[in-house]
Amino acid sequence: MNTEMKYTPLSDLSGGGASETKLRIAVQKSGRLYDESVKLLNECGIELRNVKDRLKTVSDTFPMEVFFLRDDDIPQYVEDGVADIGIVGENVLYEKNKAADVVEKLGFGKCRLSIAVQRSQTYEGVQNLDGKRIATSYPFLVSEFLKKQNIIAEIHEISGSVEIAPGIGLADVVVDLVSSGSTLLMNGLKEVETILQSQAVLIKNKTLNKQQEILLEKLLFRIKAVKKAKRNKYVLMNAPNDKLQRIIALLPGMKSPTVLPLAETGWSSVHSVLSEDEFWEKIEQLKAAGAEGILVVPIEKMVM
């Protein structure tokens, strides 16, 4: 297996020594994580200039330099300390097996690394992989999985279009990233086993200095506020006073709901926050309890 690293020379990014007053972050320059990574930074108040077709840019609103790199290279740059932190998929991080710490799961770019076989095949468990030819772009993760399962199989490393391997006789089984599963179906395959659940994560170099750690904590504070807001909705409703206690009991909120009297006698306005996980169930219960004029507002930031 060819393990030679092919990535931009370190000097091209470091410029002979980056300022310690800035936090250097590596993000994907194109692909499925790019848009969400840049969007997250913007939502954290980190505005980037001259992003398009650039290898490096800076923020005017936060002490940060941003490097735009191939996703496969990001763990290497973070391990080497050229970038202090990075946003990368767990699948890439664990496949590259570099020395970097995960500091926050970001909640986007969710997918899974799965085993798939031809739909006509019977699959009874991992023992069916014994002696098989497996095509994948993730040889390290597949090898580790097979070792844990005491399975001996032949791994064929392929870069792209892994799903066609069984159809052309190159392999019996594939291990590839799956989101919806539609690509597997189009190629006559079925998903039978999941090796890894993956999402975008924020990683850091293991030897950040004190100043870098302080900047990272500030960034994490903003990221957590953005993530919290996305998982919650601000809800306002009108409630008859004779049903107020029943309605309040349905609303956990951050501490307790806010209740304000309306101009119309016998009615109050109730304000609260609902989790996305229980949102629709709670709304149905609130209507059944007598709430009217329910207004749902997205939350931009949520600081606890």
Side-chain angles (χ1 to χ4, degrees):
M1 183 177 68
N2 181 11
T3 58
E4 181 183 359
M5 293 296 296
K6 296 180 180 179
Y7 58 95
T8 306
L10 304 185
S11 59
D12 289 356
L13 288 176
S14 62
S19 169
E20 292 186 358
T21 61
K22 293 184 184 296
L23 194 64
R24 299 164 298 175
I25 183 171
V27 302
Q28 192 179 46
K29 68 178 180 180
S30 62
R32 65 190 188 90
L33 298 186
Y34 168 80
D35 288 336
E36 289 290 342
S37 297
V38 172
K39 179 182 177 184
L40 175 63
L41 293 177
N42 287 334
E43 290 173 335
C44 290
I46 303 170
E47 297 178 6
L48 306 179
R49 51 186 168 93
N50 302 323
V51 172
K52 187 174 177 59
D53 300 323
R54 295 291 297 271
L55 182 65
K56 181 174 74 170
T57 189
V58 297
S59 172
D60 293 326
T61 56
F62 191 86
M64 176 177 284
E65 281 186 291
V66 184
F67 302 152
F68 298 99
L69 309 172
R70 290 178 64 252
D71 58 344
D72 287 353
D73 295 338
I74 291 174
Q76 179 76 63
Y77 281 104
V78 174
E79 179 186 68
D80 290 343
V82 176
D84 305 313
I85 60 175
I87 296 177
V88 68
E90 288 176 286
N91 55 302
V92 173
L93 175 64
Y94 299 136
E95 173 63 26
K96 295 304 178 182
N97 195 30
K98 299 299 179 182
D101 293 332
V102 175
V103 291
E104 185 73 16
K105 294 194 174 188
L106 301 177
F108 61 84
K110 290 184 178 180
C111 59
R112 55 196 180 274
L113 186 64
S114 294
I115 299 169
V117 301
Q118 292 177 310
R119 285 207 298 267
S120 59
Q121 289 183 342
T122 300
Y123 183 83
E124 298 173 341
V126 292
Q127 67 273 10
N128 289 155
L129 301 177
D130 204 34
K132 294 292 193 297
R133 299 169 299 162
I134 302 175
T136 186
S137 300
Y138 297 88
F140 177 76
L141 286 173
V142 173
S143 177
E144 290 297 297
F145 174 79
L146 295 176
K147 286 178 185 177
K148 290 178 181 178
Q149 300 294 331
N150 295 315
I151 299 295
I152 297 175
E154 184 180 334
I155 298 175
H156 292 264
E157 183 179 358
I158 297 178
S159 178
S161 301
V162 172
E163 63 277 354
I164 69 170
I168 61 176
L170 179 63
D172 309 301
V173 179
V174 303
V175 178
D176 201 11
L177 285 187
V178 179
S179 294
S180 65
S182 59
T183 302
L184 294 180
L185 290 173
M186 288 171 57
N187 287 277
L189 302 173
K190 61 182 179 181
E191 187 178 357
V192 295
E193 196 96 33
T194 298
I195 292 179
L196 173 72
Q197 293 285 351
S198 176
Q199 64 177 288
V201 291
L202 183 70
I203 61 174
K204 73 167 186 173
N205 178 270
K206 288 180 174 290
T207 58
L208 296 186
N209 62 41
K210 183 177 180 180
Q211 189 176 31
Q212 292 166 334
E213 289 285 3
I214 291 172
L215 288 175
L216 177 57
E217 284 303 313
K218 290 181 178 180
L219 176 62
L220 281 171
F221 176 80
R222 297 186 185 194
I223 288 174
K224 289 176 181 178
V226 170
K227 285 175 58 183
K228 187 74 173 176
K230 288 181 178 179
R231 293 196 301 268
N232 292 274
K233 303 291 184 185
Y234 191 71
V235 182
L236 305 86
M237 69 203 74
N238 297 331
N241 289 344
D242 60 348
K243 298 179 180 178
L244 193 56
Q245 292 307 311
R246 182 182 173 191
I247 290 171
I248 289 175
L250 295 170
L251 294 168
M254 288 185 288
K255 290 186 179 294
S256 62
T258 299
V259 180
L260 302 170
L262 291 178
E264 183 176 346
T265 303
W267 285 80
S268 296
S269 176
V270 181
H271 301 211
S272 189
V273 174
L274 287 179
S275 167
E276 188 74 43
D277 296 335
E278 59 179 359
F279 176 77
W280 287 111
E281 181 181 353
K282 286 291 185 182
I283 290 295
E284 292 170 359
Q285 293 174 354
L286 289 166
K287 282 186 64 65
E292 297 181 7
I294 301 174
L295 179 64
V296 181
V297 181
I299 302 172
E300 184 177 329
K301 308 288 188 298
M302 192 168 176
V303 180
M304 303 298 287

